[in-house]
């Protein structure tokens, strides 16, 4: 059973303590487009992507394997309060981000093989607070970091 990283001060999140909880039975699913507010997606093994077009959506205890060029979980303009928790997102090496745009909360999830882990569409006030940092690697695809809000651990 996976350990809960939130309950283990000083332990960094990793594949052993994030993602779908051990023992969770997952039901096969294809891509999902959410249009109803308050929808809960739980216990799915999604071979495809999720387009969120409604507010107050929850994605939990699920595995998403998405290989399109846009974000694996795409949050559309005007959508608020998406919660993704205890899930795994695999971008297949082609997804531009594991979660992209809009307003969302991410908890205890394992994100991997996405070009960018997270993308945020910032409003003008938030965008003004963003501090670009220099590339952390010089290669064909330089990685660039931005400090917007601290990601807290422990």
């Amino acid at each position: 059973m996976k350990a809960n990283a939130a309950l283990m001060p000083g332990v960094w999140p990793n594949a052993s303590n994030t993602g779908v909880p051990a023992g969770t039975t997952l039901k096969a699913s294809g891509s999902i487009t959410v249009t109803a507010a308050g929808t809960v997606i739980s216990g799915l093994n999604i071979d495809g992507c999720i387009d969120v077009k409604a507010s107050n959506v929850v994605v939990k205890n699920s595995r998403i394997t998405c290989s399109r060029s846009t974000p694996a979980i795409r949050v559309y303009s005007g959508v608020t309060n998406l919660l993704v928790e205890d899930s795994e997102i695999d971008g297949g090496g082609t997804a531009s981000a594991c979660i992209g745009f809009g307003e969302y909360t991410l908890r205890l999830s394992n994100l991997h093989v996405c070009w960018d882990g997270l993308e945020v569409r910032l409003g003008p006030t938030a965008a003004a607070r963003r501090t670009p940092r220099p590339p952390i690697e010089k290669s064909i695809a330089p990685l660039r970091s931005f400090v917007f809000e601290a990601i807290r651990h422990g």
Side-chain angles (χ1 to χ4, degrees):
M1 181 165 230
K2 108 178 164 173
N4 186 331
L7 301 177
M8 300 171 61
V11 176
W12 285 95
N14 60 59
S16 73
N17 58 23
T18 61
V20 179
T24 302
T25 301
L26 301 177
K27 180 180 174 185
S29 173
S31 291
I32 297 172
T33 299
V34 181
T35 56
T39 296
V40 176
I41 296 169
S42 182
L44 295 182
N45 186 8
I46 301 166
D47 185 11
C49 311
I50 300 176
D51 288 327
V52 181
K53 298 181 177 183
S55 294
N56 304 311
V57 171
V58 175
V59 177
K60 64 181 185 177
N61 302 327
S62 295
R63 180 177 299 123
I64 299 105
T65 306
C66 174
S67 57
R68 68 180 178 192
S69 62
T70 57
I73 298 180
R74 184 175 178 183
V75 184
Y76 281 74
S77 182
V79 171
T80 59
N81 299 322
L82 167 66
L83 171 61
V84 178
E85 66 181 350
D86 291 315
S87 293
E88 177 184 349
I89 303 172
D90 179 344
T94 57
S96 62
C98 287
I99 304 176
F101 319 122
E103 179 187 317
Y104 56 85
T105 299
L106 176 68
R107 293 186 196 137
L108 296 171
S109 293
N110 185 347
L111 313 180
H112 54 95
V113 201
C114 297
W115 283 98
D116 290 319
L118 308 171
E119 288 183 359
V120 179
R121 181 175 289 134
L122 303 175
T125 303
R129 293 189 346 237
R130 181 180 70 135
T131 306
R133 300 290 185 203
I136 58 175
E137 175 185 327
K138 292 191 185 240
S139 66
I140 294 171
L143 301 174
R144 187 172 297 275
S145 66
F146 295 91
V147 175
F148 169 61
E149 297 259 345
I151 295 177
R152 302 208 189 279
H153 165 265

